[in-house]
């Protein structure tokens, strides 16, 4: 392509890049605002920066909803479509909710209080997630993942605690390993296909000309970065330590935003790979990863005594359930995965927020045993947390049941079409694991309502009524979307 045509394409692409440009401006503006506000008290600085960040994110959301130019951008580095817009909104909503919750529960005496630097770092993570949702080139995919990862490492180690520093270092080491493996796989993919563009016809054609075992090995190496971000086996090791080390708002954000962007790009990649009829089978390796993640997550969670670590292992298992729809490799499965991701947003955020609010009755301790007896002292929060735990199991009357029903229905449909035994194994073992998860999810409601407090009764600690309303409202959404799933499904269908 002539240089003049390339420059013209870049200029034309800016029309589909407005939300990302705005987030870049927002990132720089927050850094400058932090320097300008240095003379103010810490609480005032945080209030100003959190308010500005939320305003910037809401404007970015408006730009996404308003619609931008669709199609390829910047010489096929990015691809803007309605699916990308939907996942961007999930990331934005997660960011706004965690910032709002952090400000509502802000207290100078909190040991894990986040400094002002977390606002620009959060914006950088959101920007990376935006770019990842549109990435269709191996180079842009890698750079987007690295932007998310570097910001995440810093967010984990941002507080002045030894645990945070250790968690950040572990996150960095495991992230570097997975990144190196992914980059090696991408280099092999480029050598095999001669292109970095996964939407190029040559990408699938050249892969199909190689031995299936070679393609499978290269594909799995390339997917290391995606498995890392989704907390899937065998790149899950960082999850418990990072969730435990990071403050609640950061851990809650990690459990949603990077995963949402990664899910979409993973769907794009598996659809770009050769068809099974050409001798390449991506379903079986993905089914194995899903089975391993569901199993390890659930059985590890059974032995946890810390609430944040329990939610970490829960997220590993939930990630396994999340990719069940991707394993199906059909339109129904992809739509079911999108529905699962959208509902997981408010279910998981509610779980983190409610456990954090209840832990304030014990000076912020997050031991599961400390939840005993709190049902009588904090009935509203306890009932809401019970609803959330039922939703994470996947039982009615919560949307967790609907989400699991949709992904497993898509998986069964795929099994009937292909007869792949791995799909049958994932179907049966996945449903069995949903039953196993009852043991640790329902342990929390049991402690709340049927066990006395292990310590002497202390006065009830008052928590922010607005923060309580936010957490309870998110829990109630899990019941509302069970009763009215079509309201969300119709919205997803528009994208």
């Amino acid at each position: 392509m002539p240089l003049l045509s390339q420059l013209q394409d870049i200029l034309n692409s800016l029309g589909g890049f407005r939300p990302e440009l705005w987030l870049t401006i927002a990132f720089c503006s927050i850094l400058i605002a932090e320097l300008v506000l240095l003379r103010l008290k810490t609480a005032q600085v945080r209030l100003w920066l959190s308010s500005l960040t939320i305003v910037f994110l809401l404007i970015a959301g408006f730009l996404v909803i308003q619609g931008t130019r669709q199609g390829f951008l910047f010489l096929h580095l990015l691809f803007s479509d309605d699916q990308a817009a939907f996942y961007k909104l999930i990331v934005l909503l997660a960011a706004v909710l965690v910032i709002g919750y952090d400000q509502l529960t802000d207290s100078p005496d909190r040991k894990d209080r986040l400094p002002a630097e977390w606002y620009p770092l959060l914006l950088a993570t959101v920007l990376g997630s935006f770019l990842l949702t549109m990435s269709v080139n191996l180079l842009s995919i890698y750079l987007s993942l690295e932007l998310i990862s570097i910001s995440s490492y810093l967010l984990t180690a941002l507080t002045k605690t030894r645990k945070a520093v250790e968690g950040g270092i572990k996150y960095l080491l495991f992230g570097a390993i997975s990144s190196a493996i992914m980059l090696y796989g991408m280099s092999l993919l480029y050598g095999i296909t001669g292109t970095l563009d996964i939407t190029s016809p040559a990408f699938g054609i050249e892969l199909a000309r190689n031995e299936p075992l070679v393609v499978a090995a290269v594909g799995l190496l390339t997917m290391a970065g995606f498995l890392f971000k989704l907390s899937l086996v065998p790149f899950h090791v960082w999850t418990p330590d990072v969730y435990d080390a990071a403050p609640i708002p950061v851990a809650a954000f990690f459990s949603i935003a990077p995963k949402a962007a990664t899910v979409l790009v993973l769907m794009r990649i598996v659809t770009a790979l050769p068809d099974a009829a050409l001798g390449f089978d991506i379903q079986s390796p993905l089914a194995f990863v899903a089975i391993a993640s569901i199993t390890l997550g659930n059985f590890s969670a059974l032995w946890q005594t810390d609430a944040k670590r329990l939610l970490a292992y829960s997220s590993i298992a939930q990630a396994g359930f999340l990719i069940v729809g991707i394993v199906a490799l059909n339109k129904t499965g992809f739509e079911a995965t999108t529905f699962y991701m959208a509902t997981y947003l408010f279910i998981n955020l509610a779980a983190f927020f409610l456990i954090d609010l209840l832990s304030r009755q014990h000076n912020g301790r997050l031991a599961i045993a400390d939840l005993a007896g709190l049902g009588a002292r904090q009935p509203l929060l306890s009932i809401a947390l019970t609803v959330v735990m039922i939703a994470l199991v996947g039982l009615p009357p919560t949307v967790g049941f609907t989400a699991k029903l949709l992904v497993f229905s898509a998986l069964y449909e795929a099994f009937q079409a292909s007869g792949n035994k791995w799909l049958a194994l994932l179907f049966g073992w996945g449903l069995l694991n949903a039953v196993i998860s009852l043991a640790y999810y329902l342990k929390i409601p049991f402690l709340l309502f049927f066990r006395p407090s292990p310590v002497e009764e202390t006065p009830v600690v008052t928590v922010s009524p607005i923060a309580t309303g936010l957490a309870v409202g998110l829990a109630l959404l899990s019941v509302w979307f069970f009763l009215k799933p079509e309201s969300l499904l119709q919205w997803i269908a528009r994208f």
Side-chain angles (χ1 to χ4, degrees):
M1 182 184 290
L3 179 60
L4 184 61
S5 299
Q6 293 183 31
L7 291 174
Q8 189 60 47
D9 181 81
I10 291 172
L11 290 174
N12 293 336
S13 298
L14 293 176
F17 202 65
R18 286 183 296 171
E20 291 71 30
L21 286 175
W22 174 253
L23 285 173
T24 305
I25 295 170
F27 173 78
C28 298
S29 300
I30 290 295
L31 287 177
I32 295 170
E34 184 185 344
L35 294 174
V36 172
L37 297 171
L38 275 177
R39 294 183 179 180
L40 298 179
K41 293 181 179 178
T42 304
Q44 291 176 309
V45 172
R46 287 175 58 82
L47 178 60
W48 274 101
L49 292 180
S50 64
S51 302
L52 281 173
T53 305
I54 289 175
V55 169
F56 285 137
L57 289 171
L58 292 177
I59 293 174
F62 173 75
L63 293 174
V64 172
I65 295 172
Q66 188 184 38
T68 55
R69 176 194 163 192
Q70 297 206 351
F72 290 103
L73 307 175
F74 303 109
L75 305 173
H76 284 227
L77 279 175
L78 305 173
F79 182 72
S80 177
D81 62 355
D82 291 334
Q83 274 190 320
F86 184 81
Y87 278 88
K88 286 177 187 178
L89 292 176
I90 292 177
V91 173
L92 274 174
L93 188 55
V96 170
L97 288 172
V98 297
I99 292 172
Y101 177 80
D102 177 62
Q103 189 57 42
L104 289 170
T105 56
D106 186 31
S107 174
D109 58 350
R110 291 202 69 174
K111 293 181 181 179
D112 60 351
R113 192 188 196 197
L114 284 159
E117 288 78 11
W118 99 282
Y119 298 108
L121 287 173
L122 188 73
L123 283 173
T125 311
V126 172
L127 175 59
S129 300
F130 270 41
L131 293 172
L132 187 59
T133 61
M134 299 191 296
S135 295
V136 290
N137 185 289
L138 294 177
L139 178 61
S140 60
I141 289 171
Y142 177 75
L143 292 176
S144 301
L145 276 171
E146 286 306 292
L147 178 56
I148 296 172
S149 297
I150 293 170
S151 303
S152 300
Y153 306 150
L154 294 173
L155 281 171
T156 304
L158 208 53
T159 54
K160 299 176 182 178
T161 62
R162 181 175 179 177
K163 183 186 289 186
V165 174
E166 290 178 354
I169 292 173
K170 289 177 182 177
Y171 199 5
L172 172 62
L173 292 176
F174 285 113
I177 292 169
S178 66
S179 178
I181 294 172
M182 178 180 65
L183 194 58
Y184 181 56
M186 286 180 172
S187 67
L188 293 176
L189 272 180
Y190 178 67
I192 290 172
T193 63
T195 180
L196 294 171
D197 184 4
I198 64 173
T199 63
S200 170
F203 187 81
I205 293 171
E206 294 299 324
L207 280 178
R209 290 178 180 174
N210 287 269
E211 290 294 325
L213 184 60
V214 173
V215 179
V218 173
L220 290 175
L221 287 173
T222 304
M223 287 186 182
F226 309 127
L227 301 183
F228 174 76
K229 280 299 162 198
L230 287 169
S231 304
L232 289 167
V233 172
F235 296 97
H236 66 284
V237 182
W238 61 273
T239 313
D241 291 321
V242 170
Y243 278 38
D244 189 27
I248 283 288
V250 173
F253 184 72
F254 285 169
S255 71
I256 301 296
K259 291 183 179 181
T262 306
V263 160
L264 180 56
V265 76
L266 184 58
M267 287 194 285
R268 295 193 195 279
I269 285 183
V270 296
T271 53
L273 293 173
D275 189 82
L278 299 177
F280 179 70
D281 176 24
I282 189 63
Q283 283 183 310
S284 298
L286 280 179
F288 174 78
V289 168
I291 291 170
S293 301
I294 292 170
T295 304
L296 185 141
N298 277 330
F299 280 93
S300 298
L302 289 172
W303 313 107
Q304 299 308 308
T305 57
D306 182 88
K308 285 173 74 176
R309 294 185 74 87
L310 183 143
L311 288 177
Y313 283 109
S314 163
S315 72
I316 296 171
Q318 293 294 336
F321 286 117
L322 180 64
I323 67 165
V324 167
I326 299 178
V327 173
L329 279 182
N330 53 34
K331 183 180 178 182
T332 307
F334 292 162
E335 289 181 351
T337 297
T338 302
F339 182 85
Y340 200 115
M341 191 70 247
T343 56
Y344 188 63
L345 162 70
F346 51 82
I347 293 173
N348 216 48
L349 288 184
F352 275 99
F353 294 170
L354 289 166
I355 284 179
D356 182 51
L357 291 173
L358 285 170
S359 72
R360 292 165 189 267
Q361 305 302 316
H362 294 285
N363 296 319
R365 292 201 308 272
L366 286 164
I368 298 173
D370 290 335
L371 297 173
L374 290 181
R377 302 173 65 193
Q378 292 284 359
L380 182 60
L381 294 175
S382 300
I383 292 171
L385 184 56
T386 300
V387 171
V388 169
M389 292 298 110
I390 292 172
L392 287 171
V393 173
L395 295 176
T398 66
V399 75
F401 171 78
T402 311
K404 284 188 171 61
L405 176 65
L406 290 175
V407 294
F408 279 105
S409 297
L411 182 68
Y412 184 71
E413 179 184 324
F415 168 69
Q416 287 185 313
S418 67
N420 189 327
K421 293 181 180 179
W422 277 102
L423 303 188
L425 180 60
L426 175 57
F427 184 86
W429 188 246
L431 293 178
L432 177 62
N433 265 266
V435 177
I436 294 172
S437 67
L438 283 167
Y440 65 88
Y441 281 130
L442 296 189
K443 177 183 179 181
I444 290 177
F446 177 76
L447 288 171
L448 287 170
F449 294 104
F450 298 103
R451 280 289 182 265
S453 176
V455 297
E456 197 174 313
E457 288 287 332
T458 56
V460 176
V461 177
T462 304
V463 295
S464 167
I466 304 178
T468 300
L470 173 62
V472 173
L474 290 172
L476 290 177
L477 284 176
S478 65
V479 178
W480 168 257
F481 283 121
F482 172 78
L483 300 174
K484 297 285 184 181
E486 65 277 3
S487 58
L488 184 56
L489 286 168
Q490 288 172 0
W491 200 42
I492 290 172
R494 295 175 187 172
F495 288 91

